[in-house]
């Protein structure tokens, strides 16, 4: 489940990267379009454009500081290395003896090093991975354990709530940030 959780973390960061680029493009376009409109109609407010320019600058500096793509690449490298390590562990599992114990100790050390190479996934990434694995599985559900074939964990109600709230927050924030270039000029003009 750790690999799937890291996969969800990578997807989340790549989605944030794309959304932030769309927002910056939208802010730039909105600023240029509004400037042309106000210059043509002679209704320009210098204070409004200074505020808008500073807002756009702050957002672009903040977004670039988050380095979503770089963090996603580190997570991807980490879960690919974890996958390779998983198969190494599988090959040693059936072995017995002193040599096998040494290999297992080396694999534990390698695991510890890998876990420190990138940020860990969030609880929501884990909840999303569990929900996606469970609800997209075609396995037959066991009546006693309520697990499907090939699935080791069923989502709890708290996990479902966590995932639903994450999606609601994600879309509300994106819509809110998307409306700022439209709302700010109207608010500033209404106070004049």
């Amino acid at each position: 489940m750790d690999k799937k959780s890291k996969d969800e973390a990578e997807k989340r960061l790549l989605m944030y990267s794309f959304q932030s680029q769309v927002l910056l493009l939208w802010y730039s376009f909105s600023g240029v379009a509004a400037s042309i409109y106000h210059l043509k109609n002679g209704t320009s407010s210098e204070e409004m454009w200074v505020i808008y320019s500073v807002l756009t600058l702050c957002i672009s500096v903040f977004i670039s500081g988050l380095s979503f793509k770089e963090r996603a690449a580190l997570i991807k490298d980490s879960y690919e290395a974890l996958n390779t390590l998983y198969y190494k562990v599988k090959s040693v599992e059936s072995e017995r003896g002193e040599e096998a114990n040494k290999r297992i100790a080396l694999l534990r050390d390698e695991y510890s090093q890998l876990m420190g190479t990138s940020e860990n996934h969030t609880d929501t990434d884990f909840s999303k991975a569990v929900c996606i694995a469970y609800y997209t599985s075609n396995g037959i559900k066991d009546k006693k354990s309520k697990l499907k074939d090939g699935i080791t964990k069923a989502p709890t109600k708290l996990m479902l709530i966590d995932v639903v709230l994450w999606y609601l927050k994600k879309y509300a924030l994106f819509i809110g940030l998307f409306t700022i270039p439209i709302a700010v000029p109207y608010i500033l003009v209404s106070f004049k």
Side-chain angles (χ1 to χ4, degrees):
M1 206 37 76
D2 196 47
K3 179 187 176 303
K4 291 179 182 177
S5 299
K6 284 193 176 280
D7 185 42
E8 286 302 316
E10 179 201 14
K11 287 179 188 175
R12 173 178 47 84
L13 290 172
L14 288 174
M15 185 251 330
Y16 286 166
S17 176
F18 176 75
Q19 284 182 341
S20 63
Q21 295 306 312
V22 168
L23 278 172
L24 287 176
L25 181 66
W26 170 245
Y27 278 45
S28 298
F29 172 76
S30 299
V32 170
S35 295
I36 292 169
Y37 172 79
H38 288 292
L39 287 173
K40 185 175 180 183
N41 294 320
T43 60
S44 181
S45 168
E46 292 172 14
E47 300 89 15
M48 179 174 68
W49 296 117
V50 170
I51 291 171
Y52 188 81
S53 297
V54 170
L55 172 71
T56 304
L57 176 67
C58 290
I59 289 174
S60 67
V61 168
F62 178 74
I63 287 173
S64 67
L66 294 174
S67 59
F68 293 123
K69 277 193 172 182
E70 293 84 2
R71 290 168 51 201
L74 286 173
I75 288 175
K76 182 178 182 179
D77 292 345
S78 173
Y79 78 70
E80 286 175 348
L82 281 173
N83 197 40
T84 302
L85 184 64
Y86 171 79
Y87 288 109
K88 287 180 185 177
V89 169
K90 281 293 189 189
S91 69
V92 174
E93 265 183 348
S94 60
E95 297 177 17
R96 300 280 182 246
E98 189 65 32
E99 188 62 33
N101 289 340
K102 287 180 184 176
R103 287 181 63 194
I104 289 172
L106 288 173
L107 292 173
R108 279 192 190 116
D109 290 342
E110 188 177 342
Y111 177 78
S112 295
Q113 288 176 343
L114 280 175
M115 293 310 289
T117 59
S118 73
E119 65 188 84
N120 204 3
H121 56 80
T122 64
D123 292 340
T124 303
D125 294 327
F126 178 75
S127 296
K128 282 173 53 185
V130 169
C131 291
I132 289 170
Y134 186 81
Y135 290 113
T136 60
S137 170
N138 291 329
I140 298 170
K141 189 174 181 181
D142 182 75
K143 291 182 183 190
K144 186 176 179 183
S145 69
K146 297 187 179 178
L147 292 175
K148 294 182 178 181
D149 292 336
I151 303 295
T152 58
K153 183 155 184 68
T156 63
K157 289 180 183 174
L158 191 58
M159 287 177 163
L160 289 170
I161 291 169
D162 183 30
V163 171
V164 168
L165 287 176
W166 181 82
Y167 277 107
L168 290 174
K169 285 189 284 188
K170 177 182 86 164
Y171 290 118
L173 181 64
F174 187 70
I175 290 168
L177 289 172
F178 209 80
T179 58
I180 286 175
I182 299 166
V184 168
Y186 285 116
I187 291 169
L188 292 174
V189 169
S190 67
F191 285 115
K192 279 198 159 195

